[in-house]
Short mmCIF file of all heavy atoms in Angstrom, two decimals:
data_model
loop_
_atom_site.label_atom_id
_atom_site.label_comp_id
_atom_site.label_asym_id
_atom_site.label_seq_id
_atom_site.Cartn_x
_atom_site.Cartn_y
_atom_site.Cartn_z
N PHE A 214 17.67 19.18 4.02
CA PHE A 214 16.36 18.77 4.51
C PHE A 214 15.48 18.27 3.36
O PHE A 214 14.73 17.30 3.52
CB PHE A 214 15.67 19.94 5.22
CG PHE A 214 16.48 20.55 6.33
CD1 PHE A 214 16.41 21.91 6.58
CD2 PHE A 214 17.32 19.78 7.10
CE1 PHE A 214 17.17 22.48 7.59
CE2 PHE A 214 18.08 20.32 8.12
CZ PHE A 214 17.99 21.69 8.36
N PHE A 215 15.60 18.94 2.21
CA PHE A 215 14.82 18.53 1.05
C PHE A 215 15.23 17.14 0.58
O PHE A 215 14.37 16.30 0.23
CB PHE A 215 14.99 19.56 -0.07
CG PHE A 215 14.26 19.23 -1.33
CD1 PHE A 215 12.87 19.35 -1.41
CD2 PHE A 215 14.94 18.79 -2.46
CE1 PHE A 215 12.20 19.04 -2.58
CE2 PHE A 215 14.27 18.49 -3.63
CZ PHE A 215 12.89 18.62 -3.69
N LEU A 216 16.53 16.88 0.56
CA LEU A 216 17.02 15.55 0.17
C LEU A 216 16.52 14.48 1.13
O LEU A 216 16.08 13.40 0.70
CB LEU A 216 18.54 15.55 0.12
CG LEU A 216 19.22 16.18 -1.09
CD1 LEU A 216 20.72 16.21 -0.89
CD2 LEU A 216 18.87 15.42 -2.36
N LEU A 217 16.60 14.75 2.43
CA LEU A 217 16.12 13.78 3.42
C LEU A 217 14.62 13.59 3.32
O LEU A 217 14.11 12.48 3.52
CB LEU A 217 16.51 14.23 4.83
CG LEU A 217 18.01 14.24 5.14
CD1 LEU A 217 18.24 14.73 6.55
CD2 LEU A 217 18.60 12.84 4.95
N PHE A 218 13.91 14.66 3.01
CA PHE A 218 12.47 14.55 2.81
C PHE A 218 12.15 13.61 1.66
O PHE A 218 11.26 12.74 1.77
CB PHE A 218 11.89 15.94 2.55
CG PHE A 218 10.52 15.94 1.94
CD1 PHE A 218 9.44 15.37 2.60
CD2 PHE A 218 10.31 16.52 0.69
CE1 PHE A 218 8.18 15.37 2.02
CE2 PHE A 218 9.05 16.52 0.12
CZ PHE A 218 7.98 15.95 0.78
N LEU A 219 12.88 13.74 0.55
CA LEU A 219 12.68 12.82 -0.58
C LEU A 219 13.05 11.39 -0.20
O LEU A 219 12.34 10.44 -0.55
CB LEU A 219 13.51 13.28 -1.77
CG LEU A 219 13.15 14.60 -2.44
CD1 LEU A 219 14.10 14.89 -3.59
CD2 LEU A 219 11.71 14.58 -2.93
N ALA A 220 14.16 11.24 0.52
CA ALA A 220 14.63 9.89 0.89
C ALA A 220 13.63 9.19 1.81
O ALA A 220 13.26 8.04 1.58
CB ALA A 220 16.00 9.99 1.56
N TYR A 221 13.20 9.88 2.85
CA TYR A 221 12.28 9.26 3.80
C TYR A 221 10.89 9.08 3.22
O TYR A 221 10.17 8.14 3.59
CB TYR A 221 12.23 10.09 5.08
CG TYR A 221 13.51 10.03 5.88
CD1 TYR A 221 14.12 11.17 6.37
CD2 TYR A 221 14.14 8.81 6.13
CE1 TYR A 221 15.30 11.11 7.08
CE2 TYR A 221 15.33 8.74 6.83
CZ TYR A 221 15.90 9.89 7.30
OH TYR A 221 17.07 9.82 8.00
N SER A 222 10.50 9.96 2.32
CA SER A 222 9.22 9.77 1.62
C SER A 222 9.27 8.50 0.78
O SER A 222 8.31 7.71 0.75
CB SER A 222 8.91 10.98 0.74
OG SER A 222 8.82 12.14 1.49
N LEU A 223 10.40 8.31 0.08
CA LEU A 223 10.55 7.12 -0.75
C LEU A 223 10.56 5.85 0.09
O LEU A 223 9.86 4.87 -0.23
CB LEU A 223 11.83 7.24 -1.57
CG LEU A 223 12.20 6.03 -2.44
CD1 LEU A 223 11.11 5.75 -3.45
CD2 LEU A 223 13.53 6.27 -3.14
N VAL A 224 11.33 5.86 1.18
CA VAL A 224 11.39 4.69 2.06
C VAL A 224 10.01 4.41 2.67
O VAL A 224 9.58 3.26 2.78
CB VAL A 224 12.44 4.91 3.16
CG1 VAL A 224 12.38 3.79 4.20
CG2 VAL A 224 13.83 4.97 2.56
N TYR A 225 9.32 5.46 3.04
CA TYR A 225 7.98 5.32 3.65
C TYR A 225 7.00 4.69 2.66
O TYR A 225 6.24 3.77 3.02
CB TYR A 225 7.51 6.70 4.09
CG TYR A 225 6.22 6.71 4.86
CD1 TYR A 225 6.07 6.00 6.05
CD2 TYR A 225 5.13 7.45 4.41
CE1 TYR A 225 4.89 6.02 6.75
CE2 TYR A 225 3.94 7.48 5.10
CZ TYR A 225 3.83 6.77 6.27
OH TYR A 225 2.65 6.78 6.97
N CYS A 226 7.02 5.16 1.41
CA CYS A 226 6.12 4.61 0.39
C CYS A 226 6.48 3.16 0.06
O CYS A 226 5.58 2.31 -0.11
CB CYS A 226 6.16 5.46 -0.86
SG CYS A 226 5.39 7.08 -0.68
N LEU A 227 7.78 2.86 -0.04
CA LEU A 227 8.19 1.49 -0.31
C LEU A 227 7.81 0.56 0.84
O LEU A 227 7.39 -0.59 0.62
CB LEU A 227 9.71 1.43 -0.53
CG LEU A 227 10.22 2.07 -1.82
CD1 LEU A 227 11.75 2.08 -1.83
CD2 LEU A 227 9.68 1.33 -3.05
N PHE A 228 7.93 1.06 2.06
CA PHE A 228 7.55 0.27 3.23
C PHE A 228 6.06 -0.05 3.21
O PHE A 228 5.65 -1.19 3.47
CB PHE A 228 7.92 1.03 4.50
CG PHE A 228 7.57 0.32 5.77
CD1 PHE A 228 8.39 -0.67 6.28
CD2 PHE A 228 6.40 0.63 6.45
CE1 PHE A 228 8.06 -1.34 7.45
CE2 PHE A 228 6.06 -0.03 7.62
CZ PHE A 228 6.90 -1.01 8.12
N ILE A 229 5.23 0.94 2.89
CA ILE A 229 3.78 0.72 2.84
C ILE A 229 3.43 -0.25 1.72
O ILE A 229 2.61 -1.18 1.90
CB ILE A 229 3.05 2.06 2.64
CG1 ILE A 229 3.19 2.93 3.90
CG2 ILE A 229 1.57 1.84 2.34
CD1 ILE A 229 2.58 4.30 3.75
N ALA A 230 4.05 -0.07 0.55
CA ALA A 230 3.75 -0.96 -0.58
C ALA A 230 4.18 -2.39 -0.27
O ALA A 230 3.47 -3.35 -0.61
CB ALA A 230 4.47 -0.46 -1.84
N ALA A 231 5.33 -2.57 0.41
CA ALA A 231 5.81 -3.92 0.72
C ALA A 231 4.92 -4.61 1.75
O ALA A 231 4.60 -5.80 1.60
CB ALA A 231 7.25 -3.84 1.24
N THR A 232 4.50 -3.89 2.78
CA THR A 232 3.65 -4.51 3.81
C THR A 232 2.22 -4.71 3.33
O THR A 232 1.50 -5.56 3.86
CB THR A 232 3.63 -3.62 5.07
OG1 THR A 232 3.26 -2.28 4.72
CG2 THR A 232 5.01 -3.59 5.72
N ASP A 233 1.81 -3.96 2.33
CA ASP A 233 0.45 -4.09 1.81
C ASP A 233 0.35 -5.07 0.66
O ASP A 233 -0.74 -5.44 0.23
CB ASP A 233 -0.04 -2.71 1.35
CG ASP A 233 -1.52 -2.68 1.06
OD1 ASP A 233 -2.29 -3.28 1.84
OD2 ASP A 233 -1.91 -2.09 0.04
N LEU A 234 1.51 -5.54 0.16
CA LEU A 234 1.51 -6.39 -1.03
C LEU A 234 0.76 -7.70 -0.82
O LEU A 234 0.00 -8.13 -1.70
CB LEU A 234 2.97 -6.68 -1.43
CG LEU A 234 3.15 -7.57 -2.67
CD1 LEU A 234 2.51 -6.93 -3.89
CD2 LEU A 234 4.64 -7.83 -2.91
N GLN A 235 0.96 -8.33 0.33
CA GLN A 235 0.30 -9.62 0.55
C GLN A 235 -1.22 -9.49 0.55
O GLN A 235 -1.93 -10.36 0.04
CB GLN A 235 0.78 -10.23 1.87
CG GLN A 235 0.56 -9.36 3.09
CD GLN A 235 0.98 -10.06 4.38
OE1 GLN A 235 0.80 -11.27 4.51
NE2 GLN A 235 1.54 -9.29 5.31
N TYR A 236 -1.72 -8.38 1.10
CA TYR A 236 -3.17 -8.16 1.11
C TYR A 236 -3.67 -7.76 -0.27
O TYR A 236 -4.80 -8.06 -0.65
CB TYR A 236 -3.53 -7.10 2.14
CG TYR A 236 -3.09 -7.45 3.53
CD1 TYR A 236 -1.96 -6.86 4.09
CD2 TYR A 236 -3.77 -8.41 4.29
CE1 TYR A 236 -1.53 -7.19 5.37
CE2 TYR A 236 -3.35 -8.74 5.57
CZ TYR A 236 -2.23 -8.13 6.09
OH TYR A 236 -1.81 -8.47 7.36
N PHE A 237 -2.81 -7.09 -1.04
CA PHE A 237 -3.17 -6.73 -2.40
C PHE A 237 -3.32 -7.99 -3.26
O PHE A 237 -4.23 -8.08 -4.11
CB PHE A 237 -2.10 -5.81 -2.98
CG PHE A 237 -2.37 -5.37 -4.39
CD1 PHE A 237 -3.34 -4.42 -4.66
CD2 PHE A 237 -1.66 -5.91 -5.45
CE1 PHE A 237 -3.59 -4.01 -5.97
CE2 PHE A 237 -1.90 -5.51 -6.75
CZ PHE A 237 -2.86 -4.55 -7.01
N ILE A 238 -2.44 -8.96 -3.04
CA ILE A 238 -2.53 -10.23 -3.77
C ILE A 238 -3.80 -10.99 -3.38
O ILE A 238 -4.51 -11.55 -4.23
CB ILE A 238 -1.28 -11.09 -3.52
CG1 ILE A 238 -0.03 -10.40 -4.09
CG2 ILE A 238 -1.43 -12.48 -4.13
CD1 ILE A 238 1.27 -11.10 -3.78
N LYS A 239 -4.10 -10.98 -2.09
CA LYS A 239 -5.32 -11.65 -1.61
C LYS A 239 -6.57 -11.00 -2.18
O LYS A 239 -7.60 -11.66 -2.38
CB LYS A 239 -5.37 -11.62 -0.09
CG LYS A 239 -4.35 -12.53 0.58
CD LYS A 239 -4.49 -12.47 2.08
CE LYS A 239 -3.47 -13.39 2.77
NZ LYS A 239 -3.58 -13.35 4.25
N PHE A 240 -6.49 -9.70 -2.45
CA PHE A 240 -7.64 -9.00 -3.02
C PHE A 240 -8.01 -9.60 -4.38
O PHE A 240 -9.18 -9.77 -4.71
CB PHE A 240 -7.32 -7.51 -3.15
CG PHE A 240 -8.35 -6.72 -3.92
CD1 PHE A 240 -9.50 -6.27 -3.29
CD2 PHE A 240 -8.18 -6.45 -5.28
CE1 PHE A 240 -10.45 -5.55 -4.00
CE2 PHE A 240 -9.13 -5.73 -5.98
CZ PHE A 240 -10.27 -5.28 -5.34
N TRP A 241 -7.00 -9.90 -5.20
CA TRP A 241 -7.25 -10.43 -6.54
C TRP A 241 -7.51 -11.93 -6.53
O TRP A 241 -8.00 -12.49 -7.53
CB TRP A 241 -6.06 -10.12 -7.46
CG TRP A 241 -5.89 -8.65 -7.68
CD1 TRP A 241 -4.98 -7.83 -7.12
CD2 TRP A 241 -6.70 -7.82 -8.52
NE1 TRP A 241 -5.14 -6.54 -7.55
CE2 TRP A 241 -6.20 -6.50 -8.42
CE3 TRP A 241 -7.80 -8.05 -9.35
CZ2 TRP A 241 -6.75 -5.43 -9.11
CZ3 TRP A 241 -8.35 -6.98 -10.05
CH2 TRP A 241 -7.83 -5.70 -9.92
N THR A 242 -7.16 -12.58 -5.45
CA THR A 242 -7.43 -14.03 -5.35
C THR A 242 -8.63 -14.33 -4.46
O THR A 242 -8.82 -15.46 -4.05
CB THR A 242 -6.19 -14.74 -4.79
OG1 THR A 242 -5.84 -14.19 -3.52
CG2 THR A 242 -5.01 -14.62 -5.75
N ASN A 243 -9.39 -13.27 -4.18
CA ASN A 243 -10.59 -13.39 -3.34
C ASN A 243 -10.28 -13.98 -1.97
O ASN A 243 -11.07 -14.76 -1.42
CB ASN A 243 -11.66 -14.25 -4.05
CG ASN A 243 -12.14 -13.60 -5.33
OD1 ASN A 243 -12.30 -12.38 -5.39
ND2 ASN A 243 -12.34 -14.40 -6.37
N GLY A 244 -9.15 -13.61 -1.44
CA GLY A 244 -8.77 -14.10 -0.13
C GLY A 244 -9.14 -13.16 1.00
O GLY A 244 -8.87 -13.46 2.17
N LEU A 245 -9.77 -12.04 0.66
CA LEU A 245 -10.17 -11.06 1.67
C LEU A 245 -11.68 -11.08 1.85
O LEU A 245 -12.43 -11.40 0.92
CB LEU A 245 -9.74 -9.65 1.27
CG LEU A 245 -8.23 -9.36 1.24
CD1 LEU A 245 -7.99 -7.94 0.74
CD2 LEU A 245 -7.62 -9.56 2.61
N PRO A 246 -12.14 -10.74 3.05
CA PRO A 246 -13.60 -10.65 3.28
C PRO A 246 -14.21 -9.60 2.36
O PRO A 246 -13.57 -8.60 2.01
CB PRO A 246 -13.70 -10.23 4.75
CG PRO A 246 -12.40 -10.62 5.36
CD PRO A 246 -11.37 -10.50 4.28
N ASP A 247 -15.44 -9.84 1.96
CA ASP A 247 -16.11 -8.93 1.03
C ASP A 247 -16.63 -7.70 1.77
O ASP A 247 -17.83 -7.57 2.05
CB ASP A 247 -17.25 -9.67 0.32
CG ASP A 247 -17.80 -8.86 -0.85
OD1 ASP A 247 -17.13 -7.88 -1.23
OD2 ASP A 247 -18.88 -9.21 -1.36
N THR A 248 -15.73 -6.79 2.09
CA THR A 248 -16.08 -5.54 2.76
C THR A 248 -15.45 -4.38 2.01
O THR A 248 -14.64 -4.57 1.09
CB THR A 248 -15.58 -5.53 4.23
OG1 THR A 248 -14.15 -5.64 4.23
CG2 THR A 248 -16.18 -6.71 5.00
N GLN A 249 -15.80 -3.16 2.44
CA GLN A 249 -15.23 -1.99 1.78
C GLN A 249 -13.74 -1.82 2.08
O GLN A 249 -13.04 -1.10 1.37
CB GLN A 249 -15.98 -0.73 2.24
CG GLN A 249 -17.41 -0.66 1.73
CD GLN A 249 -18.09 0.64 2.13
OE1 GLN A 249 -17.55 1.40 2.94
NE2 GLN A 249 -19.26 0.89 1.57
N ALA A 250 -13.26 -2.49 3.12
CA ALA A 250 -11.86 -2.34 3.50
C ALA A 250 -10.92 -2.83 2.40
O ALA A 250 -9.81 -2.31 2.25
CB ALA A 250 -11.59 -3.11 4.79
N LYS A 251 -11.35 -3.82 1.63
CA LYS A 251 -10.45 -4.34 0.61
C LYS A 251 -10.20 -3.33 -0.50
O LYS A 251 -9.14 -3.33 -1.12
CB LYS A 251 -11.02 -5.64 0.03
CG LYS A 251 -12.31 -5.51 -0.76
CD LYS A 251 -12.73 -6.87 -1.29
CE LYS A 251 -13.97 -6.77 -2.19
NZ LYS A 251 -14.34 -8.10 -2.72
N PHE A 252 -11.15 -2.42 -0.77
CA PHE A 252 -10.91 -1.37 -1.75
C PHE A 252 -9.92 -0.33 -1.21
O PHE A 252 -9.16 0.26 -1.97
CB PHE A 252 -12.23 -0.70 -2.13
CG PHE A 252 -13.17 -1.62 -2.85
CD1 PHE A 252 -14.23 -2.21 -2.18
CD2 PHE A 252 -12.98 -1.91 -4.20
CE1 PHE A 252 -15.10 -3.06 -2.85
CE2 PHE A 252 -13.85 -2.76 -4.87
CZ PHE A 252 -14.91 -3.35 -4.19
N HIS A 253 -9.94 -0.13 0.11
CA HIS A 253 -8.95 0.76 0.72
C HIS A 253 -7.55 0.18 0.57
O HIS A 253 -6.58 0.91 0.33
CB HIS A 253 -9.27 0.97 2.20
CG HIS A 253 -10.58 1.66 2.42
ND1 HIS A 253 -11.21 1.70 3.66
CD2 HIS A 253 -11.41 2.32 1.56
CE1 HIS A 253 -12.33 2.36 3.55
NE2 HIS A 253 -12.49 2.74 2.29
N ILE A 254 -7.46 -1.15 0.70
CA ILE A 254 -6.16 -1.80 0.54
C ILE A 254 -5.64 -1.64 -0.88
O ILE A 254 -4.46 -1.36 -1.10
CB ILE A 254 -6.28 -3.29 0.92
CG1 ILE A 254 -6.52 -3.43 2.42
CG2 ILE A 254 -5.03 -4.06 0.50
CD1 ILE A 254 -6.79 -4.84 2.87
N MET A 255 -6.53 -1.80 -1.86
CA MET A 255 -6.12 -1.65 -3.25
C MET A 255 -5.67 -0.21 -3.53
O MET A 255 -4.63 0.02 -4.16
CB MET A 255 -7.28 -2.02 -4.17
CG MET A 255 -6.92 -1.92 -5.66
SD MET A 255 -8.31 -2.32 -6.75
CE MET A 255 -9.41 -0.95 -6.41
N PHE A 256 -6.42 0.77 -3.05
CA PHE A 256 -6.06 2.17 -3.27
C PHE A 256 -4.73 2.50 -2.60
O PHE A 256 -3.90 3.19 -3.17
CB PHE A 256 -7.17 3.08 -2.74
CG PHE A 256 -6.82 4.54 -2.81
CD1 PHE A 256 -6.90 5.24 -4.00
CD2 PHE A 256 -6.40 5.20 -1.66
CE1 PHE A 256 -6.56 6.58 -4.06
CE2 PHE A 256 -6.06 6.54 -1.71
CZ PHE A 256 -6.15 7.24 -2.91
N LEU A 257 -4.53 2.01 -1.38
CA LEU A 257 -3.30 2.29 -0.64
C LEU A 257 -2.08 1.74 -1.38
O LEU A 257 -1.05 2.41 -1.47
CB LEU A 257 -3.39 1.69 0.75
CG LEU A 257 -2.18 1.91 1.67
CD1 LEU A 257 -1.98 3.39 1.94
CD2 LEU A 257 -2.36 1.14 2.97
N PHE A 258 -2.21 0.53 -1.92
CA PHE A 258 -1.08 -0.07 -2.63
C PHE A 258 -0.76 0.71 -3.90
O PHE A 258 0.42 1.00 -4.18
CB PHE A 258 -1.38 -1.53 -2.97
CG PHE A 258 -0.26 -2.19 -3.72
CD1 PHE A 258 0.84 -2.71 -3.04
CD2 PHE A 258 -0.30 -2.32 -5.10
CE1 PHE A 258 1.87 -3.32 -3.73
CE2 PHE A 258 0.72 -2.93 -5.79
CZ PHE A 258 1.82 -3.44 -5.11
N PHE A 259 -1.78 1.05 -4.68
CA PHE A 259 -1.54 1.79 -5.92
C PHE A 259 -0.93 3.17 -5.64
O PHE A 259 -0.02 3.61 -6.33
CB PHE A 259 -2.84 1.95 -6.71
CG PHE A 259 -3.14 0.78 -7.60
CD1 PHE A 259 -4.31 0.05 -7.44
CD2 PHE A 259 -2.26 0.41 -8.61
CE1 PHE A 259 -4.58 -1.04 -8.26
CE2 PHE A 259 -2.53 -0.67 -9.44
CZ PHE A 259 -3.70 -1.40 -9.27
#
């Protein structure tokens, strides 16, 4: 169970980082609306 917990945690984090990457790039290229949500996107990716 501990091994599967590590495996699924890793897959889950990689999945979040991959789906959030495009918005993270837009954050640095000013492609996102100027709201507080963009800081949440940056924190989530990191």
Side-chain angles (χ1 to χ4, degrees):
F214 305 145
F215 179 73
L216 282 174
L217 293 179
F218 163 61
L219 294 179
Y221 291 132
S222 300
L223 176 60
V224 172
Y225 186 58
C226 289
L227 290 174
F228 179 81
I229 292 176
T232 53
D233 192 42
L234 180 60
Q235 57 177 324
Y236 302 103
F237 180 75
I238 296 175
K239 290 182 179 180
F240 171 83
W241 295 104
T242 58
N243 296 322
L245 292 177
D247 191 12
T248 62
Q249 291 184 350
K251 66 179 185 179
F252 294 101
H253 297 166
I254 291 174
M255 181 181 67
F256 174 78
L257 180 63
F258 179 82
F259 274 120

